[in-house]
Amino acid sequence: MATYSLKTPIREEDIRVLRVGDILYLSGVIVTARDAAHRRIIEYLRAGKLLPVSLKGGVIYHCGPVVARRDGTWEVLSAGPTTSTRLELYESEVVEKTGVKLIIGKGGMGPKTAEACSKHGAVYAIFTGGAAVLAAQAIRRVISVEWLDLGIPEALWILEVENFGPLIVAIDTTGRNYIEEVMKKAEEKLKFFGVSLWPAVRYT
Amino acid sequence: MIEAIERAAVEAIERAVIYIPPDVKAALIKAYQEEENDVARAQLKSILDNIELAEKTMRPVCQDTGTITFYVDVGYEFPGVRYIRDSLINSVRVATQKIPLRPNSVHPFKNVNTGDNTGRYVPQIYWELVPGDSLKFTVVPKGGGSGYPTVLRMVPPGRGFDALREVVLDAVYRAGAMPCPPTIVGVGVGGGIDTAIFIAKKAATLRKIGTLNEDPELAVLEGELAKAINELGIGVMGLGGKTTVLAVHLDYSHRHPASYPVAVVFQCWASRRATAIVKPSGDFQVIQ
């Protein structure tokens, strides 16, 4: 487990050295995007339309912040991650087509994202779920907001951060998936308990 | 009276979204002290630092300020009964602006956010009539992440008790890292399906950690379930470690002979609640 400081724009070679369990601190620009924003990003990409912000070498943060507007400027008060699992539907295509290098969220992502990460040189990292004020402390300012018509939580918040972390690398470019490995062990334990699984529930 | 109820409700919402209740904080501190896995320990450290920072800066402890549920106990003799409903709904609008809260009320077909955390059946308000002349209500802002993996299973009554254990472990396994563990798992058994979900949600969100189940056999079962869940090793944020649940809270309702509903409701570590008591004079206090 090593600790790294990263700055945006992030280069692929700086991503390929990272391994699950490594700790990151990030400075530069991050872009929040949740379900509705991802849906629209995909629409734009497929239609060949230019996104309002370039994600090349960039960072997507799965987050819908609490914001306040004071004297005409936006302030982010509270900004922890949302469950990334829901974004598994979209992320591989986003990684492939935008050149995004770091995805931050919580709750874990699946095999499609992991495959895109190893193919295109990106990682998925976790920030502690619910640690929202801690996250907001790292946000220096709101650079801009796009797609506000999607509602405050779903808009693209383009934020300048300084030493945002600790982030734990949960999917690296070698195909390892930290949370999936933990869940494999949990599944073995269930078998040991003699518990058979119930019919699956679909979350993605 | 309208003003008193509204002020009490706004204050209760504010307290709830900023300050983690003492029982939850104590459970998280205990989990941190007992944790030996470095990654999980670091996560718990971030959680505890965040709780402290929220208190210091008076900001919402989690950005998902949830959807608001009010559990209301109205005294038969309370003089302001007619104002309660509108005051509570309005308090949510005021709190959304004042604190502020994140607007979390979205039309399911049009995908339009109302912007003020109100909407059809939102906030949720549950009513109980009780003796006395005061009004008491508990505000629970519950986040969406821990709502997502909610499970309701109709298990064969013949397998009832065994199936209950399986359903709970299966639900926790499938939820994995999604509901921001360490969680409080509420289990509702029996009743109609709505009862099962309702009592599971109340068990997860309202009952204080460390309180014993009134039924000694269920108290033992809760302990066994919590132990088995923690042995799965999912841990804090799904990154491993000793604590996956802070507590399992079980409640039951008598059931129809032909059905055995089991509901599993998760509450993330940021279990938020505050209770307001309004006297007939309009004086009120907010407690956690």
Side-chain angles (χ1 to χ4, degrees):
Chain A
M1 276 189 345
T3 301
Y4 295 90
S5 286
L6 288 180
K7 267 199 169 64
T8 63
I10 304 170
R11 296 175 309 172
E12 188 169 336
E13 57 260 44
D14 293 332
I15 286 296
R16 295 236 175 236
V17 298
L18 302 176
R19 294 293 177 266
V20 290
D22 285 348
I23 294 165
L24 311 177
Y25 288 88
L26 175 75
S27 298
V29 179
I30 65 174
V31 180
T32 70
R34 293 167 50 111
D35 311 57
H38 273 77
R39 211 149 49 221
R40 195 176 282 180
I41 288 172
I42 298 279
E43 264 172 44
Y44 270 50
L45 292 172
R46 288 184 185 169
K49 278 164 80 175
L50 206 61
L51 295 173
V53 55
S54 167
L55 290 169
K56 200 168 161 48
V59 180
I60 287 180
Y61 182 27
H62 298 154
C63 168
V66 173
V67 293
R69 197 162 167 83
R70 287 183 185 135
D71 307 324
T73 46
W74 290 103
E75 190 188 348
V76 175
L77 303 180
S78 200
T82 191
T83 308
S84 307
T85 321
R86 302 190 313 268
L87 288 331
E88 175 71 7
L89 283 173
Y90 316 100
E91 211 69 276
S92 57
E93 192 172 342
V94 173
V95 169
E96 182 193 335
K97 294 182 178 168
T98 63
V100 67
K101 289 283 153 247
L102 174 61
I103 297 142
I104 302 169
K106 62 105 182 166
M109 301 198 75
K112 273 170 64 190
T113 303
E115 197 190 326
C117 280
S118 79
K119 203 163 159 193
H120 305 287
V123 296
Y124 168 64
I126 283 174
F127 186 75
T128 312
V133 188
L134 203 61
Q137 294 271 310
I139 298 171
R140 288 288 152 269
R141 68 186 178 106
V142 175
I143 296 168
S144 62
V145 56
E146 302 285 346
W147 297 352
L148 206 46
D149 62 295
L150 297 175
I152 283 175
E154 299 280 352
L156 298 179
W157 293 90
I158 299 147
L159 309 170
E160 186 186 316
V161 297
E162 196 180 324
N163 279 323
F164 179 28
L167 310 167
I168 305 243
V169 176
I171 292 176
D172 63 22
T173 53
T174 70
R176 281 190 67 187
N177 186 333
Y178 199 134
I179 291 182
E180 222 171 69
E181 289 170 18
V182 170
M183 295 311 296
K184 263 267 163 323
K185 285 188 206 145
E187 198 179 338
E188 281 159 23
K189 198 83 195 181
L190 279 180
K191 275 190 199 137
F192 173 75
F193 286 156
V195 170
S196 46
L197 291 178
W198 284 66
V201 183
R202 265 190 83 162
Y203 294 118
T204 54
Chain B
M1 187 53 77
I2 302 179
E3 208 183 296
I5 301 169
E6 195 180 297
R7 272 177 37 226
V10 172
E11 193 177 316
I13 295 170
E14 190 164 18
R15 282 279 286 277
V17 298
I18 296 172
Y19 301 93
I20 294 294
D23 58 302
V24 180
K25 212 169 23 172
L28 288 164
I29 291 170
K30 186 164 169 277
Y32 176 65
Q33 286 166 345
E34 289 173 359
E35 189 54 74
E36 286 160 5
N37 174 320
D38 285 344
V39 177
R41 242 182 107 77
Q43 295 294 311
L44 283 162
K45 172 89 171 42
S46 289
I47 286 172
L48 293 172
D49 286 351
N50 184 65
I51 290 173
E52 210 172 290
L53 261 177
E55 289 173 0
K56 216 170 76 191
T57 58
M58 292 180 68
R59 290 176 170 195
V61 68
C62 177
Q63 83 291 338
D64 186 356
T65 48
T67 42
I68 306 278
T69 302
F70 290 101
Y71 296 93
V72 186
D73 289 344
V74 190
Y76 299 130
E77 284 12 288
F78 181 69
V81 174
R82 76 186 70 175
Y83 307 122
I84 302 172
R85 185 185 186 84
D86 287 352
S87 300
L88 292 181
I89 293 172
N90 208 43
S91 75
V92 172
R93 295 198 179 100
V94 172
T96 300
Q97 286 292 320
K98 181 180 176 247
I99 301 171
L101 306 176
R102 196 178 74 182
N104 278 336
S105 174
V106 180
H107 191 289
F109 304 121
K110 296 175 184 159
N111 286 324
V112 177
N113 195 320
T114 61
D116 66 3
N117 281 308
T118 69
R120 187 170 162 88
Y121 306 128
V122 177
Q124 284 173 281
I125 306 177
Y126 294 109
W127 303 90
E128 293 280 352
L129 287 167
V130 297
D133 61 2
S134 57
L135 164 71
K136 180 176 144 189
F137 56 86
T138 298
V139 177
V140 176
K142 191 171 185 309
S146 66
Y148 200 54
T150 305
V151 164
L152 173 75
R153 303 270 192 191
M154 304 301 281
V155 310
R159 293 198 60 225
F161 198 71
D162 292 337
L164 159 67
R165 180 170 175 270
E166 273 190 7
V167 166
V168 173
L169 288 168
D170 176 88
V172 172
Y173 165 73
R174 290 191 190 283
M178 289 194 290
C180 282
T183 57
I184 302 157
V185 173
V187 183
V189 184
I193 51 167
D194 47 349
T195 311
I197 287 275
F198 184 61
I199 60 180
K201 184 175 169 184
K202 290 216 297 193
T205 58
L206 293 180
R207 196 175 128 197
K208 288 188 177 161
I209 299 174
T211 56
L212 268 187
N213 198 310
E214 291 166 16
D215 183 323
E217 282 178 41
L218 293 186
V220 171
L221 181 59
E222 286 176 353
E224 285 171 2
L225 284 170
K227 186 167 173 284
I229 291 169
N230 284 333
E231 281 179 22
L232 296 181
I234 295 168
V236 186
M237 297 299 141
L239 297 168
K242 280 187 177 173
T243 309
T244 305
V245 284
L246 298 171
V248 174
H249 289 166
L250 219 148
D251 200 0
Y252 71 95
S253 163
H254 285 81
R255 63 180 178 85
H256 186 281
S259 68
Y260 200 110
V262 178
V264 184
V265 171
F266 295 86
Q267 170 58 56
C268 61
W269 68 259
S271 173
R272 289 155 285 177
R273 55 177 129 82
T275 301
I277 299 157
V278 185
K279 297 286 177 200
S281 62
D283 290 340
F284 67 84
Q285 64 172 141
V286 174
I287 51 173
Q288 277 183 301

